[in-house]
Amino acid sequence: MSQRAANRARVVSVLRERGAQSRRELAVTGLSRSTVRSVVDELIEAGTVRERPAPKDNRSAGRPATLLTLSGDLGLAAGVEIANGVIRAAICDTSQELLLHDSEPMDDRTTPEAALERVSALLDGMLHRLGASRGDVIGVGVAVPGPIQRNTGLNGRATTLKPWVNVNAATLSAKLLRLPLTVGNDANFAALAELTWGAARGLRDVAYVYTASGIGVGFILNGALYAGANGTAGELGHTTIDENGEVCACGGRGCLNTLANADSITQKLRRSHRDRLTIAEVITMAQEGDVGCRRVIADAGRHIGLAAANMYNLLDPELIVLGGNLAPAGEILLGPLRESMARRAIHAGEVLPPFIVGELDEHTVVVLGAAAAVLRDAEAFPLPHV
Ligand SMILES: [Zn+2]
């Protein structure tokens, strides 16, 4: 590859991985400002890169007025999430713009085959609405809850959607979706979404705490997703908080999930409030001042803070982002969480990393991240003009 081609490839790979960038931000390529300028001109000329106005809130304090992105007409990337009670899908173009998202309720006992058939139909309907076809799709990211074992490709026993335990989601999805795909864990994909579009943009070491039926963490370490040797990194929900606590679905005792996930929070209110409260209802009541609801959310925050302190002590992220169904609780959860974390985290005179709520909507963060995984994958998404 000639030097010029290598320089073009560097700029393209940064736009692929980091999303829209200003010319100045492209300094991370390691290329000089004048080289960036001429390479960008070539790529715009070739139709691979396009300029677009920066969001308004980005324009203050000398921020650039325009950002560079990959051209949007190089194909479509889809993201799919199979979650408890729902399937979701999103379609983005190659400039990383969300074109359409949709969802359908789904019974948790649905077999993986039936779930994927419905995903396939949902995608076809969405492509039709966009005036596109399967041929335009460069890949689908499929998010499943719980870890995927790296060697076998099977969903582990910690998977909260029981029909999916010991299922090879990649093989089955390939057969039923008939599109190029990448399969991953929901928390990992959500972390990618915040890295590409949200609170973690431009950062290198981030922990994304995703609260769904269980609590998982997506790690971005050194700018890349970290899944671990077996694919089970980040199972924060299965770290032990109380050795003598309740037995967890994984077989352990006193895991964080048994103390702080949505189910355990709503169950604590069964006697005082009523049966079958949803976590969204508990959060709304807490925001309206219900003391009992505030108390159980604060307790969950303290437990998550303990687990987060251990995680921080081991990995030292620069930012911790909270997403998922507990995120709307905001400071009711985060206040006690930070206090609990600060008591246990080592921070020899240093400031603890900010622990904040993510910027992306809880209903689209995973599907967006699944699409981002496709767009970041150079093999799935070759660029014609580079
Ligand atoms: Zn467990």
Side-chain angles (χ1 to χ4, degrees):
M1 192 187 285
S2 75
Q3 189 60 44
R4 287 181 85 81
N7 291 346
R8 284 197 295 271
R10 254 150 100 172
V11 168
V12 164
S13 88
V14 166
L15 293 177
R16 190 203 292 282
E17 287 181 10
R18 297 184 170 224
Q21 301 283 304
S22 68
R23 283 180 168 76
R24 195 173 34 180
E25 286 170 320
L26 286 174
V28 298
T29 52
L31 303 174
S32 73
R33 209 182 277 191
S34 61
T35 308
V36 165
R37 200 180 310 130
S38 72
V39 166
V40 164
D41 286 346
E42 282 170 32
L43 289 168
I44 289 176
E45 177 82 3
T48 309
V49 166
R50 178 173 297 175
E51 223 164 345
R52 72 161 191 232
K56 272 213 176 72
D57 57 344
N58 245 23
R59 288 190 200 173
S60 54
R63 305 262 319 175
T66 59
L67 295 176
L68 299 162
T69 66
L70 293 177
S71 167
D73 48 21
L74 304 172
L76 299 174
V80 165
E81 179 187 14
I82 293 154
N84 290 71
V86 67
I87 49 172
R88 300 189 176 101
I91 296 180
C92 296
D93 68 17
T94 44
S95 73
Q96 297 174 324
E97 190 176 333
L98 172 64
L99 301 177
L100 190 62
H101 68 93
D102 203 352
S103 65
E104 277 182 20
M106 190 190 66
D107 191 293
D108 284 356
R109 289 159 300 182
T110 310
T111 64
E113 288 81 2
L116 286 165
E117 293 287 6
R118 288 194 41 203
V119 164
S120 186
L122 181 64
L123 282 176
D124 281 334
M126 289 169 72
L127 287 168
H128 181 74
R129 274 145 73 193
L130 289 170
S133 70
R134 282 175 167 252
D136 299 314
V137 178
I138 54 176
V140 186
V142 179
V144 291
I148 296 163
Q149 291 160 18
R150 186 171 275 184
N151 294 341
T152 58
L154 300 179
N155 284 291
R157 68 194 157 106
T159 300
T160 50
L161 215 47
K162 289 306 158 203
W164 287 78
V165 172
N166 283 329
V167 168
N168 188 317
T171 313
L172 199 61
S173 304
K175 193 171 121 199
L176 293 168
L177 298 183
R178 301 177 309 280
L179 286 164
L181 59 92
T182 169
V183 171
N185 164 265
D186 51 7
N188 290 350
F189 281 152
L192 274 188
E194 288 287 347
L195 184 73
T196 311
W197 290 282
R201 222 182 134 250
L203 302 184
R204 292 183 61 76
D205 296 294
V206 180
Y208 178 87
V209 178
Y210 184 61
T211 54
S213 47
I215 300 172
V217 179
F219 290 118
I220 307 289
L221 300 178
N222 279 325
L225 205 54
Y226 179 78
N230 294 305
T232 61
E235 287 298 310
L236 195 70
H238 296 288
T239 53
T240 308
I241 303 295
D242 176 5
E243 259 193 299
N244 303 308
E246 280 177 42
V247 174
C248 175
C250 75
R253 282 190 78 162
C255 293
L256 179 64
N257 279 349
T258 66
L259 289 156
N261 74 356
D263 271 356
S264 76
I265 292 174
T266 53
Q267 272 170 25
K268 288 186 178 72
L269 294 162
R270 275 162 80 178
R271 281 190 202 154
S272 58
H273 291 65
R274 63 171 201 272
D275 222 351
R276 294 178 184 279
L277 277 171
T278 67
I279 189 64
E281 287 166 340
V282 174
I283 291 170
T284 305
M285 285 159 70
Q287 282 160 343
E288 288 165 353
D290 183 289
V291 181
C293 292
R294 292 181 79 89
R295 176 61 197 262
V296 289
I297 292 173
D299 288 345
R302 271 186 280 278
H303 293 309
I304 299 172
L306 191 164
N310 290 335
M311 174 183 82
Y312 166 74
N313 289 347
L314 292 173
L315 289 167
D316 186 19
E318 58 192 309
L319 175 73
I320 307 178
V321 181
L322 175 72
N325 58 17
L326 297 185
E331 288 304 310
I332 301 171
L333 182 94
L334 285 177
L337 188 159
R338 290 193 196 102
E339 216 176 270
S340 156
M341 186 175 155
R343 282 174 59 197
R344 297 169 172 102
I346 45 141
H347 50 106
E350 289 149 29
V351 182
L352 283 176
F355 203 130
I356 59 168
V357 169
E359 289 176 11
L360 302 173
D361 179 84
E362 63 166 305
H363 302 299
T364 53
V365 66
V366 172
V367 281
L368 272 173
V374 172
L375 294 172
R376 287 168 70 94
D377 181 353
E379 280 172 35
F381 172 25
L383 286 162
H385 303 297
V386 176

